[in-house]
Structure formats: structure tokens, C-alpha cells
Amino acid sequence: MVVRPSGPPSVHEGRGEQSPTLDERGEPQRPPALEHGVLCPRAELAGLPVARSAAGSLALSRGGRLDAAIRFGRGMGVALAILFFWSGAFVLAWLVVPYVYLRERDRLRRRRRMQRVVAAAWRWFHRQLDRTTLYRVVYEGLSEHDGEAPAVLVANHPSLLDVTAIISRMPSTCCVVKSSLMTSPLVGRLLRSLGHVSAGDGSLMSGAAVLDGVHDRLREGFPVLVFPEGTRSPMGGMHPFRRGAFEIAQRAGVPVVPLFLRCEPPALGKGTPVWRHPRRCPTLTVHVGGPLDTNGPEPRGLCKNVERSFRGRLGLVAAATATSAHSSAAERPGETVK
Amino acid sequence: MNESLHASVKQSVKLLIVESLMLEDVAPEQIVDDAPLFGEGLGLDSIDALELAIAIDKRFGVKIEAEDERNREIFRSVASLTAHIAANKTRG
């Protein structure tokens, strides 16, 4: 078994050209050397179960027990990471937020300070996930000053860690967040201190408050991240976009910046149990598109066009499970607006 | 309820929907009284609802509160919207 030497992130370049074939579980099949050598280069260093996954493919002849053990180990790893994530959020919410509130009087400076702390925390968290080959993020087209000027960032939402991945690199980003999280006793105060906007309770007129909230953030100079699908994307596809994000961008006179997200192999998606974490290291590619002028086009048309460009760019993945996208559209919760 | 008042409100509601929401491919007389406004039927969304609420306030002086739990019922169709406006209108 050839295991390529571990390398810096440059090994990730050009992966976009590969078009994996899908097996019946919907997981792409690749040559083992590529799987474990290129995508999880640091597995052996980390000394984690996955480090033996190259041997694991040999063990298939022995009934796949090693394989099952590796999968179990990775599932446990993710469960631990999630536990750690929430504990960290809890500490931030109940120790760091009060501390910063005492130290800093000005509301906006307080928010900026919280944002820096939290972005550093998520960066650290993602570094650990990267080290343990549980989850990896690659950024494309991200320049130094992205995420500083007010803009509406729109993204598809393939996995649970999209937001932390984006905020790691664009710390001042405010998001439209599910209302149940915003009012949660555990992390609600953290999210509110960061300037996130509640998505409302889904009642017919609750959209007005969301529009106002996002408009305030933009006027204060923060970029705002919106998932126009309103929830996480269905496996391999996308819900239709709602036009609220584009409407606000136009009203506030700021550009729309598309963030094309792609998680390969799919992980931490909607309705996927945590213990089914893929054996190969999931890599989230965040591609920052060029800003779109919102001055001219009518928001409804702009929304349609942007949705089309998302479907086009993510086409490889979308085509594979187009049917599941349809079937799960009906299950979409009504808790978010637009 | 006065029949002719009802009919005239219904006409203006349909006109309002088409005009304030700038629906290009729908004529006022094409809107069916009982067809749902949101989702299926006309396919309006939550931002349309906001704009429609503002337009209704301007035209008829009927305020529609954000927290009102009856909103979904009121905005179900042209017929339900007409009934609500006819019962509460202060002008138009």
C-alpha cells in the first residue's frame, strides 16, 4: 500500500477536477492510496484509528471487522468533537461574554471583541478537526479583506460546520440564525453578543423583524451571512432559494457575495446520524465568489440567477441525488423565514 | 355584510395584489377567490406578505399586526382577506 507523504495544504489543489463515481451508499469510490494518502495525509501522525485505514481495506477479506471498528472510532470522535464544541460554546457564553461585557462599555466594540475571540476559538477547533482527520476546510478565492465590508453573504448549507468554517476566516460576519438557538439558555447570550439575527418563528409577518435586524447589521458595517435555503441543504442537493437575502442587499445598497460550499464526502448533513461519519476525511471547500452588484437587477430575478449559478457550480453533486432533493423539500421546517 | 361592498373590496384586493407585488404574468380577474395565496396557488412568499400588509394598511387603513396569530388564516386567500378588510376597514 502506497501512502504518500504528508504535505502542506497544497495537496488539496486541483481536487475539483476529480469526478468520483458513487457506490450504492452514495459515497464516492477512490483508489485507496488516494483516499488515505492524499486526503488524510496526517492520519498516521495523529495516531488515530483512521491511521490504520490503509490496512483496513486489506481487512475487508477478514469480514470487515477492522473497518467497522474504524467507522465506530470515527463516529465516537465526531461525537466527542460535538460535545467539546457545545462545552466550549457554553464557556464562551457564560464566562467570556460576561467578562467582555464588564471590560467593554461600547456596544459595537464589545461585539467586535467577542467576534475576534469566537473566531479564534473556531479556528482552533477546526485545526483540531483537521489534525484528527475528522473534518477539513479548504478556502478558495478568499482574499485578506474579505468579510470586512458590509455585504450579504449567501451560501448553500451542506454541513453542520459551515458557519464555524466561514466565521473562522471572516470573524465579523453576523448570521441569520435559527430562532430556537438564539433564545437557547445555553448559547443564546453568546449568539446575541455576536450580533447574530434571529430568523423568526416562521409566522407570516416575522420576516419583517429579520429584514430589520439584517439591515441594522449592514448599516453598522458588518457582513451578514444568510442561507437562502432557510435550513441545511438536502444530501447532495439544494432547497430552492428564498429571496429575502437579495431583497435586503438591494435595500441596504450592498453587494451579494456568493459562497459556494461543497463537502466531499458529505458529512454532518441534515438527517445524517453523527456515528455515520465518513471514513475518508470530509473536506469542506469554501469558494468565495465575486461580489454581485444589487443596484440594477430586481431581487426576485437576482435570487433566481444566483440559485442557478449555485446549482451549476455544484452540479456534479446535485445531479447525483436530484430526486432526494425533491422528496425532502416537503419536510422542510417552517421555522425560518424567506 | 353588504354584498356590493364585499364585491368592491374583493376587486380592489385583487388589484392591490397584482399592483403592489408587481405580478407580471397575472391579471386581477385571474385570481381565484378561494385559491391559496402562499405556497401553491399564487405562490407568494413572506416578503410578499409584508408588502401586501403595508399596501392594505395604506389603501384601507387596516393594520395587520406582526404578532397576530390569525395572520395565516387572514392571508389564506382573497376571500378571507376580503372578509377581514371589509370587517375592519376605516377608509377606501
Side-chain angles (χ1 to χ4, degrees), chain A residues 202 204-205 208 243-244 300, chain B residues 45 47-48 50-51 71-72 75:
Chain A
L204 204 50
M205 298 296 161
R243 69 186 159 110
R300 207 186 293 263
Chain B
D45 59 29
I47 291 174
D48 290 323
L50 292 175
E51 284 174 350
N71 277 343
R72 224 162 256 284
F75 277 85

Side-chain angles (χ1 to χ4, degrees), chain A residues 62-228:
Chain A
R62 284 188 268 141
R65 279 169 70 182
L66 186 56
D67 184 70
I70 290 165
R71 284 183 182 277
F72 178 76
R74 285 180 71 76
M76 289 300 287
V78 173
L80 266 176
I82 289 175
L83 187 71
F84 190 80
F85 176 90
W86 285 105
S87 324
F90 180 77
V91 169
L92 285 169
W94 289 91
L95 293 176
V96 179
V97 170
Y99 175 77
V100 170
Y101 265 63
L102 290 175
R103 290 295 299 274
E104 188 67 73
R105 296 261 162 225
D106 181 67
R107 201 171 53 92
L108 287 186
R109 281 170 56 189
R110 192 188 271 168
R111 185 186 295 155
R112 296 246 180 227
R113 193 157 166 184
M114 277 309 301
Q115 288 177 333
R116 280 197 299 272
V117 172
V118 167
W122 292 161
R123 266 199 302 279
W124 183 86
F125 180 68
H126 274 282
R127 208 155 46 231
Q128 307 315 312
L129 289 180
D130 188 286
R131 260 186 207 159
T132 52
T133 72
L134 288 173
Y135 195 86
R136 176 155 300 154
V137 188
V138 179
Y139 300 89
E140 291 176 354
L142 185 74
S143 68
E144 188 121 349
H145 299 290
D146 275 334
E148 284 177 12
V152 175
L153 315 173
V154 297
N156 58 315
H157 201 351
S159 94
L160 206 54
L161 294 173
D162 302 344
V163 179
T164 53
I166 291 168
I167 286 186
S168 301
R169 290 300 182 89
M170 304 185 189
S172 51
T173 305
C174 299
C175 312
V176 174
V177 177
K178 189 152 73 165
S179 62
S180 60
L181 275 178
M182 289 299 287
T183 53
S184 131
L186 194 68
V187 293
R189 69 166 55 227
L190 175 66
L191 298 176
R192 290 190 298 271
S193 79
L194 293 166
H196 296 320
V197 179
S198 171
D201 58 3
S203 68
L204 204 50
M205 298 296 161
S206 64
V210 186
L211 294 184
D212 288 348
V214 174
H215 199 266
D216 287 348
R217 292 300 163 274
L218 292 170
R219 223 175 25 211
E220 288 159 353
F222 295 89
V224 179
L225 170 65
V226 181
F227 294 104

Side-chain angles (χ1 to χ4, degrees), chain B:
Chain B
M1 182 67 57
N2 185 334
E3 279 297 317
S4 67
L5 168 78
H6 220 103
S8 82
V9 169
K10 193 181 288 176
Q11 275 315 308
S12 10
V13 166
K14 288 182 182 179
L15 200 63
L16 210 57
I17 290 175
V18 171
E19 282 179 354
S20 66
L21 306 182
M22 292 182 287
L23 304 180
E24 281 158 5
D25 44 357
V26 182
E29 52 276 7
Q30 283 177 301
I31 302 176
V32 183
D33 292 358
D34 290 320
L37 294 177
F38 300 97
E40 285 155 47
L42 261 191
L44 306 186
D45 59 29
S46 61
I47 291 174
D48 290 323
L50 292 175
E51 284 174 350
L52 194 55
I54 293 168
I56 286 169
D57 184 17
K58 271 194 195 146
R59 172 80 172 74
F60 300 105
V62 177
K63 291 240 182 292
I64 287 156
E65 301 296 332
E67 282 82 36
D68 197 334
E69 286 174 4
R70 296 170 305 161
N71 277 343
R72 224 162 256 284
E73 194 43 44
I74 295 169
F75 277 85
R76 201 174 47 80
S77 65
V78 169
S80 61
L81 203 51
T82 304
H84 181 75
I85 293 170
N88 296 292
K89 79 194 192 93
T90 57
R91 64 166 170 268

